[in-house]
Amino acid sequence: MSLLKQIFTWWNGQTIGTRFHTWRFGKKVGEDQFGNVYYQGGGTDSEGRTRRWVIYKGYAEASAIPAGWHGWMHHRTDVSPADEDYKPREWQKEHRPNPTGTAQAYRPPGSLAAPGERPRVTGDYDAWTPRG
Protein backbone atom coordinates (compact mmCIF):
# COMPACT_ATOMS: atom_id res chain seq x y z
CA MET A 1 0.00 0.00 0.00
CA SER A 2 1.36 3.41 -0.90
CA LEU A 3 2.46 5.81 1.80
CA LEU A 4 0.09 8.55 0.58
CA LYS A 5 -2.86 6.18 0.77
CA GLN A 6 -1.97 5.30 4.37
CA ILE A 7 -1.59 8.96 5.33
CA PHE A 8 -4.78 10.28 3.76
CA THR A 9 -7.32 7.43 3.80
CA TRP A 10 -8.75 5.73 6.87
CA TRP A 11 -11.00 3.32 4.96
CA ASN A 12 -8.17 1.52 3.13
CA GLY A 13 -6.43 -0.93 5.46
CA GLN A 14 -4.65 0.99 8.18
CA THR A 15 -3.51 4.55 8.74
CA ILE A 16 -0.03 5.61 9.83
CA GLY A 17 -1.30 6.05 13.40
CA THR A 18 -2.77 2.55 13.48
CA ARG A 19 0.41 1.12 11.99
CA PHE A 20 2.52 2.84 14.70
CA HIS A 21 0.17 1.76 17.52
CA THR A 22 0.16 -1.82 16.23
CA TRP A 23 3.95 -1.89 15.90
CA ARG A 24 4.48 -0.43 19.37
CA PHE A 25 1.77 -2.10 21.46
CA GLY A 26 -0.04 -4.72 19.39
CA LYS A 27 0.13 -8.42 19.98
CA LYS A 28 -1.24 -10.39 17.04
CA VAL A 29 -4.05 -12.66 18.18
CA GLY A 30 -5.11 -14.20 14.90
CA GLU A 31 -6.45 -13.88 11.38
CA ASP A 32 -9.82 -14.77 9.90
CA GLN A 33 -10.70 -16.44 6.61
CA PHE A 34 -11.03 -13.04 4.89
CA GLY A 35 -7.46 -11.94 5.73
CA ASN A 36 -8.42 -9.48 8.51
CA VAL A 37 -5.80 -9.47 11.30
CA TYR A 38 -6.77 -9.07 14.98
CA TYR A 39 -4.65 -7.48 17.72
CA GLN A 40 -4.80 -6.62 21.39
CA GLY A 41 -2.66 -4.62 23.81
CA GLY A 42 -1.70 -1.00 24.32
CA GLY A 43 -3.55 -0.25 27.52
CA THR A 44 -7.18 -0.47 28.48
CA ASP A 45 -10.43 1.06 27.33
CA SER A 46 -12.79 3.19 29.45
CA GLU A 47 -14.17 0.05 31.13
CA GLY A 48 -10.73 -1.31 32.07
CA ARG A 49 -10.62 -4.00 29.38
CA THR A 50 -7.61 -4.68 27.15
CA ARG A 51 -7.85 -2.80 23.86
CA ARG A 52 -8.66 -4.92 20.82
CA TRP A 53 -8.63 -3.89 17.17
CA VAL A 54 -8.69 -5.27 13.65
CA ILE A 55 -6.74 -4.32 10.56
CA TYR A 56 -8.99 -5.08 7.62
CA LYS A 57 -7.76 -6.56 4.40
CA GLY A 58 -8.97 -3.97 1.92
CA TYR A 59 -11.70 -1.53 2.83
CA ALA A 60 -12.59 -0.97 6.48
CA GLU A 61 -16.04 -2.56 6.64
CA ALA A 62 -17.31 -3.60 10.06
CA SER A 63 -19.66 -6.18 8.57
CA ALA A 64 -16.59 -8.06 7.27
CA ILE A 65 -15.92 -9.48 10.75
CA PRO A 66 -17.21 -13.07 11.17
CA ALA A 67 -19.39 -13.97 14.17
CA GLY A 68 -16.66 -15.65 16.23
CA TRP A 69 -14.30 -12.70 15.93
CA HIS A 70 -17.13 -10.22 16.54
CA GLY A 71 -17.74 -11.79 19.95
CA TRP A 72 -14.05 -11.56 20.80
CA MET A 73 -13.73 -7.95 19.57
CA HIS A 74 -16.62 -6.88 21.81
CA HIS A 75 -15.29 -8.71 24.89
CA ARG A 76 -18.13 -11.25 24.94
CA THR A 77 -15.44 -13.90 25.26
CA ASP A 78 -11.83 -13.85 26.39
CA VAL A 79 -10.85 -16.73 24.10
CA SER A 80 -10.30 -15.78 20.47
CA PRO A 81 -11.42 -18.09 17.65
CA ALA A 82 -7.71 -18.62 16.88
CA ASP A 83 -7.16 -20.05 20.38
CA GLU A 84 -10.05 -22.48 20.24
CA ASP A 85 -11.60 -24.77 17.69
CA TYR A 86 -14.43 -22.37 16.88
CA LYS A 87 -17.26 -23.87 14.89
CA PRO A 88 -20.38 -21.89 14.04
CA ARG A 89 -23.64 -23.20 15.46
CA GLU A 90 -25.91 -25.10 13.06
CA TRP A 91 -28.38 -22.19 12.99
CA GLN A 92 -25.71 -19.61 12.07
CA LYS A 93 -25.57 -18.65 8.43
CA GLU A 94 -22.39 -18.24 6.43
CA HIS A 95 -20.99 -14.72 6.72
CA ARG A 96 -21.97 -12.26 3.99
CA PRO A 97 -20.63 -8.72 3.70
CA ASN A 98 -23.11 -5.85 3.93
CA PRO A 99 -24.74 -5.54 0.46
CA THR A 100 -25.94 -1.94 0.90
CA GLY A 101 -25.15 0.12 -2.17
CA THR A 102 -24.59 -2.93 -4.37
CA ALA A 103 -26.75 -4.80 -6.87
CA GLN A 104 -27.49 -7.40 -4.13
CA ALA A 105 -29.08 -4.80 -1.81
CA TYR A 106 -32.67 -5.38 -0.67
CA ARG A 107 -35.20 -3.36 -2.63
CA PRO A 108 -38.73 -3.82 -1.27
CA PRO A 109 -41.76 -3.90 -3.55
CA GLY A 110 -42.79 -0.36 -4.40
CA SER A 111 -39.28 1.04 -4.05
CA LEU A 112 -38.17 3.33 -6.84
CA ALA A 113 -35.00 1.21 -7.08
CA ALA A 114 -36.94 -2.07 -7.44
CA PRO A 115 -37.38 -3.49 -10.93
CA GLY A 116 -40.80 -3.57 -12.53
CA GLU A 117 -43.84 -1.40 -11.95
CA ARG A 118 -44.94 0.01 -8.65
CA PRO A 119 -48.26 -1.33 -7.32
CA ARG A 120 -51.28 0.89 -7.75
CA VAL A 121 -52.44 2.97 -4.82
CA THR A 122 -55.34 1.26 -3.04
CA GLY A 123 -57.02 4.32 -1.60
CA ASP A 124 -56.66 3.23 2.03
CA TYR A 125 -54.58 6.30 2.82
CA ASP A 126 -55.81 9.82 3.51
CA ALA A 127 -53.28 12.61 3.31
CA TRP A 128 -52.93 14.77 6.41
CA THR A 129 -54.15 18.32 6.09
CA PRO A 130 -53.74 20.97 8.78
CA ARG A 131 -56.81 22.55 10.31
CA GLY A 132 -57.04 26.15 9.36
Side-chain angles (χ1 to χ4, degrees):
M1 180 182 293
S2 75
L3 181 63
L4 288 176
K5 206 181 243 190
Q6 287 185 12
I7 293 172
F8 295 109
T9 64
W10 56 264
W11 57 87
N12 250 330
Q14 61 182 322
T15 61
I16 293 293
T18 304
R19 181 181 290 270
F20 176 73
H21 186 79
T22 302
W23 168 77
R24 181 125 188 249
F25 304 110
K27 176 186 165 238
K28 183 178 176 182
V29 175
E31 188 172 332
D32 65 21
Q33 68 265 33
F34 303 114
N36 301 322
V37 184
Y38 299 86
Y39 295 90
Q40 72 177 353
T44 57
D45 63 11
S46 61
E47 296 179 20
R49 303 174 301 191
T50 304
R51 292 191 182 274
R52 296 176 177 174
W53 67 95
V54 59
I55 296 180
Y56 297 97
K57 181 177 182 182
Y59 286 115
E61 172 59 54
S63 72
I65 297 178
W69 282 105
H70 181 272
W72 179 82
M73 286 285 294
H74 293 276
H75 297 275
R76 302 220 169 144
T77 179
D78 289 331
V79 181
S80 75
D83 294 335
E84 68 178 356
D85 188 23
Y86 176 80
K87 292 195 179 14
R89 308 251 188 212
E90 62 186 35
W91 46 264
Q92 285 180 307
K93 293 183 178 181
E94 186 67 28
H95 178 267
R96 270 188 343 135
N98 185 347
T100 303
T102 69
Q104 290 80 33
Y106 174 67
R107 292 175 176 85
S111 166
L112 293 176
E117 299 226 0
R118 294 184 67 184
R120 306 253 338 134
V121 177
T122 61
D124 62 348
Y125 172 78
D126 293 325
W128 177 81
T129 54
R131 292 185 179 182

